[in-house]
Amino acid sequence: MTNKIALITGASAGIGQEFAKKLSQQGYDLILVARREDRLVEISKQLPTKSQIITADLAKTEECFRLYEETKDQNVSMLINCAGFGDFGAFTATSLDKELEMIDVNIKAVHILTKKFLPDMLARNKGYILNVASVAGLMPAGPYMATYYATKAYVTSFTSAIAEELEEKKSNVYVGSLCPGPVDTEFNKVADVKFNLKGITSEYCVNYALDKMYKRKKIIVPTMLLKGALFSSKLAPRNLVVRLTSRQQKKKQG
């Protein structure tokens, strides 16, 4: 592999798959990570650069550490933490097992991989880490998707704190979070929801994200509509925003 290597989790579908396509077109060799090996193999055949396939269940802590150990000597220059999923329903009705798995994938895996790869990048004083969060992570709360919103709030807060630390050190290493709204991916099926707002395409989301990442924007929100909504929510009382979010969430029932 070349010196330009991007490791992408959740690379078997949706935004992760699109990151693989775009970064390969930009000359990156890839390390593609997901549970579904057959999907990764099929994707790798379509890419113009070399790709290494690693199957891993990132809900398992030991799998996160294994992923790092298998790739730490390859000088990964970009880490895209894209693996994640959601669920819909009243908190008293949703599955505890699914929620705990969601916390492990959406939070613990992102935390571990950022923690492990960041020091290597700092030692080289270059590299990119993009943690895929959600516009949900910028909202005060998300009734009927309580756990998902909370996991994404963790990712945005965690990532923003690290980004500030690096800026204060004047480091060349970039850390930022991508916070899209609805994107046309498999997310809806897994979470059992439907969106009233038209989703953006994965291609648009990734093109926008990479452009802003290279410009070192710390929080990336891909659409002006969402930016306007977020600005308005900051001006409104927190309880009102949560209540309005609840009403919108109820419309997502699949």
Side-chain angles (χ1 to χ4, degrees), residues 82-154:
C82 196
F85 66 94
D87 194 18
F88 180 89
F91 182 70
T92 53
T94 49
S95 164
L96 177 59
D97 287 342
K98 187 173 183 179
E99 287 168 342
L100 292 176
E101 183 178 4
M102 190 193 311
I103 291 169
D104 286 340
V105 175
N106 293 10
I107 293 179
K108 189 184 290 184
V110 172
H111 190 116
I112 291 172
L113 295 177
T114 302
K115 187 81 169 181
K116 298 300 287 185
F117 281 101
L118 181 56
D120 297 339
M121 293 182 181
L122 289 174
R124 301 191 296 269
N125 198 29
K126 61 180 180 179
Y128 297 88
I129 296 178
L130 184 64
N131 292 329
V132 179
S134 166
V135 70
L138 300 173
M139 302 294 287
Y144 302 100
M145 293 187 79
T147 304
Y148 176 75
Y149 270 62
T151 64
K152 294 307 183 180
Y154 182 98

Side-chain angles (χ1 to χ4, degrees), residues 16-202:
Q17 180 178 338
E18 194 62 36
F19 269 117
K21 292 178 182 178
K22 296 302 177 184
L23 290 171
S24 183
Q25 290 170 7
Q26 293 180 10
Y28 280 84
D29 284 344
L30 304 175
I31 301 172
L32 305 177
V33 183
R35 292 181 299 176
R36 296 175 289 187
E37 183 177 16
D38 57 332
R39 294 284 292 271
L40 295 178
V41 170
E42 189 60 33
I43 292 165
S44 69
K45 293 177 181 177
Q46 305 170 29
L47 303 176
T49 55
K50 297 177 182 178
S51 57
Q52 175 184 354
I53 292 171
I54 298 179
T55 56
D57 181 356
L58 299 182
K60 299 176 181 177
T61 300
E62 62 271 19
E63 291 283 272
C64 297
F65 284 105
R66 177 178 66 83
L67 174 59
Y68 173 72
E69 289 299 320
E70 287 188 13
T71 58
K72 66 181 181 180
D73 295 328
Q74 298 188 44
N75 293 329
V76 171
S77 49
M78 184 183 297
L79 169 64
I80 309 288
N81 277 313
C82 196
F85 66 94
D87 194 18
F88 180 89
F91 182 70
T92 53
T94 49
S95 164
L96 177 59
D97 287 342
K98 187 173 183 179
E99 287 168 342
L100 292 176
E101 183 178 4
M102 190 193 311
I103 291 169
D104 286 340
V105 175
N106 293 10
I107 293 179
K108 189 184 290 184
V110 172
H111 190 116
I112 291 172
L113 295 177
T114 302
K115 187 81 169 181
K116 298 300 287 185
F117 281 101
L118 181 56
D120 297 339
M121 293 182 181
L122 289 174
R124 301 191 296 269
N125 198 29
K126 61 180 180 179
Y128 297 88
I129 296 178
L130 184 64
N131 292 329
V132 179
S134 166
V135 70
L138 300 173
M139 302 294 287
Y144 302 100
M145 293 187 79
T147 304
Y148 176 75
Y149 270 62
T151 64
K152 294 307 183 180
Y154 182 98
V155 173
T156 53
S157 175
F158 166 74
T159 305
S160 294
I162 298 169
E164 177 61 25
E165 291 176 11
L166 296 182
E167 186 171 65
E168 291 180 8
K169 292 180 179 179
K170 302 188 184 306
S171 173
N172 287 328
V173 178
Y174 167 91
V175 174
S177 55
L178 170 61
C179 299
V183 182
D184 296 328
T185 68
E186 293 179 352
F187 176 91
N188 301 3
K189 181 178 179 180
V190 175
D192 191 25
V193 297
K194 59 181 180 180
F195 289 101
N196 291 285
L197 295 175
K198 179 176 175 56
I200 61 175
T201 65
S202 295

